[in-house]
Amino acid sequence: MSGPSTYVPKWGIAKWMDARLPLPRMVYDSFIAYPVPRNLNYFWTFGGILMLMLVSQIITGVVLAMHYTPHSTLAFNSVESIMRDVEYGWLIRYMHSTGASFFFIAVYIHIFRGLYYGSYKAPREVLWILGCIIFLLMMATAFMGYVLPWGQMSFWGATVITNLFSAIPLVGETIVTFLWGGYSVDNPTLTRFFSLHFLLPFMIFGVVILHVWALHVTGQNNPTGVEVKAVQKDTVPFTPYATIKDAFAMICFFVVFSYFIFYMPNYLGHADNYVQANPAVTPPHIVPEWYFLPFYAILRAVPDKLGGVMLMGAAVVILAFLPWLDTSKVKSMRYRPLARQCFWAFAVTCVVLGWLGSRPAEQPYVLLSQIFSALYFAYFLIALPLLGLFETPNKLPGSIAESVLSKIKGGSAAAVGAAAASEPNTKG
Amino acid sequence: MAEAKATQAGEPTRRDMLFLATGVMGAAGVVGVAVPFIRQLAPNAQTIATGAPIEVDLTPIAEGQGIKMFWRGKLIFVRNRSKAEVEEAQKVNVASLPDPQADSARVKPGKEQWLVLYGACTHLGCIPGGSAVGEVRGDYGGWFCPCHGSHYDTSGRIRKGPAPANLPVPPYAFLNDSKIRIG
């Protein structure tokens, strides 16, 4: 997809640099000349949005670390001091805390985009697995970050999640003691979580570089799932087409993000976390942040401690095996009438699981959690493996260009070019 | 298509509109974000609050002795100068000093015995010794900075060494004969 480089250094200094460290060539090949399928819709802008969110979280996080004190007796007050005393501290903290939620909103859209258009299938398996690793790292980072304000939710969230490891037979208790650095969640836990919360985003950044590298080797998938056949006909250069479109989508995303920061910064959080951690009192209703709720529901669906932990872990890990669980050769759900319905059923299942995760652990929610957990796994273990064998897909277009051109009737050649980059969201 | 026709006629298109709107929003966002990220570096409200003026009781300071205290994180020297020290400070030929300043400009009228100074060497910020009795006071009987050998006289003026300026006088006022307020 990348093909031979078409970069020609113009100035003397560019030639000098190109012969020593061809960084401008890499930027040119990756972000200017790089061919993108001409039929990408707005769901393909979320990769860029996620990159921006990661940078935003790192910048705001580094600033917060300047004002934050990682100590169990001082952390809560230092966060309050950020909110009240530090100039614009309230804004930077809200950017960071709301940013975590918006990071997950974007990553879930990004993941479901991949699920719908079959972006995980050959030759993009490694690209997909790297994405799964990023998702896992994000969850670890978000969890540890939520502990740092040392409020009630921080403390009890940390207690519950670290206690998951105690389910491991024989060594469970020892592992938990080592996670805590003591006999309960306390100052040693807080300081190590702070250190790791600072480290992990940079590890994410490293995996993101591999993710983008893998993307640029295979090229992007597209709404038809048909691979690029003729670069001239099927693709447009990254700049200006994708850059402008990504920039527009980023701005729109940040407008919504800003609305939350300025008008409802605590909407996605819990009021209990504005009460300082108290190891003697657990809040009556303890739930994780919204982005963990579906997995939390799966955890609670199983009456057995070890079983629940394993099933929750499996719910995340199973994503990495998706390239081999889906047996269909057809990538895009646009051309898979039955799989498409299963996909939407799966999407609804995830939302329902999220809602169930926010409910108290009592009937009928437990039973419903069990049913929907089964549906969650059925998509991966029953629907996708079998549909590939029994489903008759619709006819695929011969090429990306053909699918685009067939939509435009009576357009001139110039109009086709303009329409290619501005195709509206197509739901298949 | 209308869009294509508009382009041919040189008129702005819907795409130009989106391009401009995106650019303006992006620029506004960058500026809007730059302000808080720079302002957060400023002293916070707590730091400002702890920088309020302080009162110092002079009664316990005997003649010839000095005390040290912090105000806004900076060290302050208060010295009760002896008559000889005051005279020595006053009789110096001001024009011959590296940083010419009369002793009278460095004390309050009628309170010549009291010298109040910022206690950081004007060279590179070390603390000159000489406040306490027994510390090395340098060639001019005031303060001596051990880092790079700057000698200050009994008025806190630089006399010898690399420091470029006299020890500055902080803002202060006498509340009564035995009490001052710094700040």
Side-chain angles (χ1 to χ4, degrees), chain A residues 382-393:
Chain A
I382 298 172
L384 290 181
L386 293 182
L387 279 174
L389 306 176
F390 299 112
E391 181 184 45
T392 311

Side-chain angles (χ1 to χ4, degrees), chain B residues 63-82:
Chain B
E63 190 176 303
Q65 286 188 341
I67 60 163
K68 297 189 277 192
M69 86 227 53
F70 283 100
W71 179 62
R72 292 193 170 173
K74 290 193 171 105
L75 196 63
I76 305 273
F77 292 156
V78 178
R79 187 133 142 193
N80 186 355
R81 300 190 290 182
S82 67

Side-chain angles (χ1 to χ4, degrees), chain A residues 39-44 116-117 223 334 407 423-428:
Chain A
N39 59 339
L40 296 186
N41 58 37
Y42 270 103
F43 288 109
W44 263 265
Y116 187 86
Y117 293 111
R334 263 191 197 176
K407 281 191 190 160
E423 189 201 37
N425 289 351
T426 315
K427 293 277 197 287

Side-chain angles (χ1 to χ4, degrees), chain A residues 91 95 251 254 258, chain B residues 21-37:
Chain A
L91 176 58
M95 283 172 81
I251 293 294
F254 267 64
S258 302
Chain B
T22 305
V24 169
M25 281 300 273
V30 168
V31 173
V33 160
V35 171
F37 276 88

